[in-house]
């Protein structure tokens, strides 16, 4: 079956990405978080978080799903950079790219990143930013191969019950 990238936003889409987000986080951070911290990243918790987030941001953000048949294999989420970023006007924020753990390395992440870059350009953004967990070397390599570079900004962000260090990356939008 062919992989399709489609715009999402239905309650079913949001529930599916909540489930995928939990699976992705537990896989990606299994060496960064304790087993107890990982256990708190549940499907139900992620689905509730995404339902609240989408309800609050649906007018300003975009959600795209990578699907094969009826199976959601990845998603990306983007919107404008927030005021806390102190970014120039025309800066977008890539809030998330997650791929099912069994589909890592299949090109889905790259397809989602390209979708985000195309969407940023269509929205008139000239620059984009994202945050990635500092110790997530696989994700950092993925973004660096895609033309992103660390810009020196760091902070912490919650992943489940843990606060983890993240680094900001940026890149121009062609």
């Amino acid at each position: 079956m062919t992989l399709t990238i489609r715009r999402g936003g239905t309650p079913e889409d949001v529930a599916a990405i909540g489930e995928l987000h939990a699976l992705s986080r537990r896989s990606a951070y299994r060496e960064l978080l304790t087993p107890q911290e990982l256990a708190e990243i549940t499907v139900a918790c992620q689905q509730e978080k995404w339902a609240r987030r989408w309800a609050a941001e649906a007018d300003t953000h975009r959600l795209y799903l990578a699907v094969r048949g009826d199976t959601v294999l990845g998603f990306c989420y983007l919107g404008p950079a927030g005021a806390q970023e102190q970014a120039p006007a025309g800066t977008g924020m890539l809030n998330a790219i997650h791929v099912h753990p069994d589909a890592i390395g299949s090109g889905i992440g790259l397809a989602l990143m390209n979708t985000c870059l195309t969407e940023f350009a269509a929205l008139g953004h000239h620059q984009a930013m994202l945050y990635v967990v500092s110790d997530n070397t696989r994700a950092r390599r993925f973004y660096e191969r895609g033309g992103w570079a660390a810009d020196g900004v760091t902070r912490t962000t919650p992943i489940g019950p843990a606060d983890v260090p993240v680094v900001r990356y940026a890149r121009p939008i062609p």
Side-chain angles (χ1 to χ4, degrees), residues 20-32 38 73 97-110 113 130-148 167 169:
L20 177 61
H21 199 200
L23 292 172
S24 173
R25 280 185 156 193
R26 288 193 307 240
S27 175
Y29 305 136
R30 68 183 175 273
E31 295 178 12
L32 305 176
L38 287 170
L73 295 174
I97 290 181
H98 286 270
V99 174
H100 191 285
D102 294 339
I104 297 285
S106 67
I108 293 171
L110 181 59
M113 186 188 333
L130 62 83
Y131 283 92
V132 62
V133 173
S134 298
D135 290 338
N136 190 343
T137 55
R138 181 177 64 199
R140 291 182 73 165
R141 281 192 308 263
F142 168 76
Y143 290 119
E144 289 164 3
R145 283 192 309 267
W148 300 80
V167 60
Y169 276 56

Side-chain angles (χ1 to χ4, degrees), residues 46-59:
Q46 289 304 115
Q47 287 175 325
E48 173 60 28
K49 285 180 182 180
W50 275 103
R52 282 193 321 267
R53 186 172 189 177
W54 185 247
E57 298 177 342
D59 292 338

Side-chain angles (χ1 to χ4, degrees), residues 3 8 16 39 47 52 56 77 85 94-95 98 103 107-108 110 120 125 134 142 161 165-166:
L3 181 74
Q47 287 175 325
R52 282 193 321 267
Y77 189 68
E85 300 306 328
L94 175 51
N95 300 103
H98 286 270
I108 293 171
L110 181 59
F120 282 135
H125 294 301
S134 298
F142 168 76
V166 293

